[in-house]
Amino acid sequence: MTTSVSVHDEATVLTVAGEVDLATAPALENAIDATLGGKPAVFIIDLSKVTFLASAGMAALVAAHQRADTTTRIYVVAHGPATGRQLTVTGLDKVFSMYTTLEDALTAARQN
């Protein structure tokens, strides 16, 4: 798994690629914590390049939601069987604002 951070206007984007499982979830949590430490107004977690999302990865997303400052809006980009389906089945699509593309998430961030 790899992560990278970029900034688009007021949104900070954490792009995640590869498999997020028990072995890699701690690295995801560290990347999330580091990004949240900057107190972004909008934090987009882009999972569009994730090929496998285990429960440990979903737990990292829930922890991010719990640790986020009340002024930080979290958006998740997830689509397809590797990410979107798991987040929907577990009900996390009700917790996060979910989008199928990064561009859709950025557009929503600009409008809110």
Side-chain angles (χ1 to χ4, degrees):
M1 182 203 70
T2 61
T3 60
S4 62
V5 176
S6 58
V7 177
H8 301 262
D9 298 320
E10 68 176 46
T12 300
V13 179
L14 175 66
T15 302
V16 185
E19 295 184 0
V20 182
D21 56 20
L22 189 59
T24 59
L28 176 59
E29 287 185 38
N30 289 340
I32 289 170
D33 285 344
T35 306
L36 284 175
K39 299 193 183 302
V42 176
F43 180 28
I44 300 173
I45 303 171
D46 183 358
L47 303 176
S48 61
K49 295 179 182 171
V50 169
T51 56
F52 177 75
L53 182 64
S55 60
M58 289 183 275
L61 295 176
V62 171
H65 175 70
Q66 293 170 340
R67 286 192 301 269
D69 186 281
T70 56
T71 61
T72 298
R73 293 176 286 150
I74 299 179
Y75 297 69
V76 175
V77 177
H79 182 67
T83 56
R85 183 171 36 170
Q86 284 88 329
L87 295 174
T88 300
V89 167
T90 59
L92 291 177
D93 62 328
K94 307 288 189 278
V95 174
F96 296 104
S97 297
M98 288 187 46
Y99 299 89
T100 57
T101 68
L102 176 58
E103 190 56 43
D104 288 345
L106 290 168
T107 299
R110 283 190 290 271
Q111 293 174 349
N112 290 328

